[in-house]
Amino acid sequence: MRMMASGKKQKNGSAGRKAKKARRKKVNDLRLDMQGDEHEEGGGGRSESTESSAGGGVGGERQREHPFVVTEPGEVARAKKNGLDYLFHLYEQCRLFLLQVQSMAKLHGQKSPTKVTNQVFRYASKVGASYINKPKMRHYVHCYALHCLDEDASDALRRAYKARGENVGAWRQACYAPLVDIAARHGFDIDAVFAAHPRLAIWYVPTRLRQLCHQARSAHDAAAAHAGAMPPPMF
Amino acid sequence: MRMMASGKKQKNGSAGRKAKKARRKKVNDLRLDMQGDEHEEGGGGRSESTESSAGGGVGGERQREHPFVVTEPGEVARAKKNGLDYLFHLYEQCRLFLLQVQSMAKLHGQKSPTKVTNQVFRYASKVGASYINKPKMRHYVHCYALHCLDEDASDALRRAYKARGENVGAWRQACYAPLVDIAARHGFDIDAVFAAHPRLAIWYVPTRLRQLCHQARSAHDAAAAHAGAMPPPMF
DNA sequence: AGAAGGACCAGTGGTCCGTA
DNA sequence: AGAAGGACCAGTGGTCCGTA
C-alpha cells in the first residue's frame, strides 16, 4: 500500500505551482528479463580515482551507480562507492559532450546550445555515458562550482568532512556557504560569478544557490541600512 | 464546412515532427458581448510615424492591429495601416519591457532572461501593450535586424519596395538576402552577427534566416572546393 | 489574396518521490 | 537513513492555420 504524496514545491522563487495531477505512474512494473532477486557485476576492481566503480554487467537490468562518498583529493573510493574526483570528472565529461553537440549543431546550421541542456544529456546517453543523468548533475552543480572557483577551499572542505565522517549530503550542504561568500565579494551576483568562469558558465545556476545569495544580499543590505549609511540598490 | 489541414512543418532544421493531434479547437465560439456585425473605433487621427493606427475602442471585442504597409523612413501610414517605423518601434518597446523584466527578476533574486521570452511578452500584455505579441514579433525579426545592422540598406529597400508597390510580405522576404550577405562577411555566422549588436542580441535568430545562411555557406564552400582550393571547415 | 495573432505542440528546465 | 535517477509537470520556443 502506497500513500499518495502531495507534491509541493517552489517553482523558481515565484509563487507555488498550481494543482498537480497525481504523479508516479509506475511504468515497467512487470519484469520480462531474467532477473531474480539481486545481482552484482561480475568483474571488479577498476580503481582510478576518476573511474566509476558502478555496475555494467552484460545484459540484465542496468545497475544504479554506486553512491558517492566524501573523499580527499586523489583518494580512491573503496568498494561500492564513488569518490568526489569522479564526481567532478563527470562535469568535465558533460562539458566535452556539450562541445560535441555544439560542433554538430553548427555544422548543420542549427542553433547551438550554450549550456548543458537536455539535448546534451540525451547525447551523453546515446554515446554510452548512461551513468550521466540530469538529476544527478544538477544536484551537485554547486559542489563542482566551488571546486572550480576555489579549489583550495573545496579540497579543505572535503578533508574536513571526510575527517568528521560526514556523509555526502552533509558535505554537499556545506558547499553552499563558501560560494555565497564568493558571490558576496562580487556584489552577490552569482550569475556573474558563474558566467566569468569558462568551465562553470555552461551550467545553470542552481535555484537553491541563487536563493541563498539573494538572502545573503538582503541580510547584508539590511545590516548596512541599520548601520546608518544606506547604500544604493544593486539594480 | 472546413477542411482538416495536415499540419506539416520543419522543426528547427531537424527531422519533421511526429504525428500531431487534430488542431484548432475553436474556443470562444459564442459571443456574449454586444457586438453585431462590424464596428470601428470611434476616435481617430493619431498620426505619429511610430504610433499605431489600430483600434482600441471602449469595451467590446479587441480589434486586430491594422496591417503593415511598406513605408519610407519617416513616412506616416495612411488610414487603417501601420508603417514600418512603427513596426521597428515595437521592437524597441520590447527591449524596454525586457529591461523591466530583468530588473524585477534581479531585485527578487530570480533568474533574469537575456532574450525576449514568453515572460516578456506576457509582461507587455499585462502592462497594456496588448498590440505586442509573439507571432508578430518573431515574424519580422529579420526585418528589424536589417534595420539595425545596415540602416541605409534597409531604408533603400523600403523605398524600392514602396516605389514598386510591393506588399509587406514581399518586402519581408526581400530582407533576407542582404542579411545573408552581411553574415557571409562574418563567416556565415549569423548568431555572432546578432550577438555583436546590442539591440539585436536580445532576439532569437529566426530559423529561416539561420537556414538561409547555412545554405549560403554550403554553396560558398562547394564553389571554393570546385575552384580547387578547399578551405578548412569553419567548425 | 494578404496579413494579424490565438492557440497549439514538441521538447525544456527543474526536481519530486518511488525505488534500491 | 541516505542516495541515485525515472518520470513527471509547468511553462518555453516556435509557428500553424482558423480568422478577419
Side-chain angles (χ1 to χ4, degrees):
Chain A
M1 205 58 172
R2 201 175 297 287
M3 303 295 274
M4 186 61 69
S6 69
K8 278 273 185 60
K9 76 178 137 179
Q10 298 261 133
K11 173 63 166 66
N12 192 20
S14 70
R17 294 198 176 184
K18 293 167 196 164
K20 284 192 178 188
K21 294 176 195 163
R23 304 185 74 181
R24 294 298 94 72
K25 235 178 285 181
K26 191 99 173 87
V27 171
N28 195 18
D29 209 351
L30 61 167
R31 291 164 166 260
L32 297 175
D33 55 345
M34 71 306 283
Q35 295 303 323
D37 211 352
E38 182 72 18
H39 71 295
E40 293 299 339
E41 65 274 34
R46 288 165 297 155
S47 56
E48 311 275 344
S49 70
T50 54
E51 283 286 305
S52 166
S53 60
V58 206
E61 288 267 288
R62 170 158 290 287
Q63 287 290 83
R64 287 190 180 193
E65 285 287 287
H66 292 150
F68 291 109
V69 281
V70 181
T71 56
E72 297 182 19
E75 182 192 0
V76 176
R78 287 169 306 119
K80 306 285 184 192
K81 298 289 179 184
N82 280 315
L84 300 184
D85 289 341
Y86 171 69
L87 172 61
F88 297 150
H89 175 67
L90 296 182
Y91 287 89
E92 307 298 339
Q93 281 193 262
C94 286
R95 184 175 149 273
L96 297 180
F97 289 135
L98 171 59
L99 292 175
Q100 289 282 326
V101 170
Q102 288 174 330
S103 297
M104 293 168 57
K106 284 175 184 166
L107 258 178
H108 296 111
Q110 293 164 200
K111 65 190 291 187
S112 169
T114 58
K115 306 261 187 196
V116 177
T117 60
N118 281 353
Q119 188 185 14
V120 174
F121 289 120
R122 228 180 307 114
Y123 177 79
S125 291
K126 205 186 63 181
V127 299
S130 56
Y131 46 86
I132 287 178
N133 62 67
K134 182 170 60 165
K136 175 160 63 188
M137 301 314 290
R138 298 279 183 238
H139 194 63
Y140 293 105
V141 168
H142 70 282
C143 307
Y144 176 65
L146 182 60
H147 174 74
C148 287
L149 292 167
D150 189 348
E151 188 161 352
D152 290 342
S154 172
D155 289 351
L157 195 65
R158 290 168 61 177
R159 292 200 176 90
Y161 270 69
K162 153 141 182 162
R164 284 202 257 153
E166 301 276 10
N167 63 32
V168 172
W171 166 76
R172 179 180 171 274
Q173 287 300 325
C175 287
Y176 284 118
L179 283 167
V180 173
D181 291 343
I182 292 170
R185 284 181 247 132
H186 293 82
F188 296 98
D189 191 347
I190 189 67
D191 291 290
V193 170
F194 269 52
H197 189 288
R199 287 173 193 265
L200 211 43
I202 64 171
W203 295 97
Y204 290 114
V205 174
T207 304
R208 179 73 186 138
L209 178 59
R210 190 195 304 285
Q211 289 169 342
L212 290 172
C213 290
H214 180 62
Q215 288 169 20
R217 176 162 76 91
S218 299
H220 179 268
D221 290 355
H226 195 264
M230 186 61 188
M234 230 181 54
F235 304 111
Chain B
M1 206 59 173
R2 202 176 294 288
M3 305 293 274
M4 186 62 68
S6 70
K8 279 271 185 60
K9 75 178 138 181
Q10 297 260 136
K11 173 63 166 67
N12 192 21
S14 71
R17 294 198 176 183
K18 292 168 195 163
K20 285 194 177 187
K21 296 177 195 164
R23 305 186 74 182
R24 293 297 94 71
K25 234 179 285 179
K26 190 102 174 87
V27 170
N28 196 17
D29 210 351
L30 61 166
R31 291 163 166 260
L32 298 175
D33 55 345
M34 72 306 281
Q35 295 304 324
D37 212 352
E38 182 73 19
H39 69 296
E40 292 299 338
E41 66 274 34
R46 286 166 298 154
S47 55
E48 311 275 345
S49 70
T50 53
E51 283 287 306
S52 164
S53 60
V58 206
E61 289 267 287
R62 171 157 290 286
Q63 287 289 84
R64 286 190 180 193
E65 284 287 286
H66 292 150
F68 291 109
V69 281
V70 182
T71 55
E72 298 182 19
E75 182 191 1
V76 175
R78 287 171 306 117
K80 306 284 181 193
K81 299 291 180 183
N82 280 316
L84 300 184
D85 289 342
Y86 171 69
L87 172 62
F88 296 150
H89 175 67
L90 296 182
Y91 287 90
E92 306 299 340
Q93 282 193 261
C94 285
R95 185 174 149 274
L96 296 180
F97 289 134
L98 170 60
L99 292 175
Q100 289 282 325
V101 170
Q102 287 175 329
S103 296
M104 293 167 57
K106 284 176 185 166
L107 258 178
H108 296 109
Q110 293 164 201
K111 66 192 289 189
S112 170
T114 57
K115 306 260 189 198
V116 177
T117 60
N118 280 355
Q119 188 185 15
V120 174
F121 289 120
R122 230 179 306 113
Y123 177 80
S125 292
K126 204 185 63 179
V127 299
S130 56
Y131 47 86
I132 287 177
N133 63 65
K134 181 170 59 166
K136 174 161 65 189
M137 301 314 291
R138 298 279 183 239
H139 193 63
Y140 292 106
V141 168
H142 70 283
C143 306
Y144 177 64
L146 182 59
H147 173 75
C148 287
L149 293 167
D150 188 347
E151 187 159 353
D152 289 342
S154 172
D155 289 350
L157 195 66
R158 290 168 62 178
R159 292 201 176 88
Y161 271 69
K162 151 140 186 166
R164 284 202 258 154
E166 301 276 8
N167 62 32
V168 172
W171 166 75
R172 177 179 172 276
Q173 287 299 326
C175 287
Y176 284 117
L179 283 168
V180 174
D181 290 343
I182 292 170
R185 283 181 247 131
H186 293 82
F188 296 98
D189 189 347
I190 190 65
D191 291 290
V193 171
F194 269 53
H197 189 289
R199 288 174 193 266
L200 211 44
I202 64 172
W203 296 96
Y204 289 114
V205 173
T207 305
R208 179 72 186 138
L209 178 58
R210 190 194 305 283
Q211 289 170 340
L212 290 171
C213 289
H214 181 61
Q215 287 170 19
R217 176 162 76 92
S218 298
H220 178 268
D221 289 355
H226 195 261
M230 186 62 188
M234 229 182 54
F235 305 110

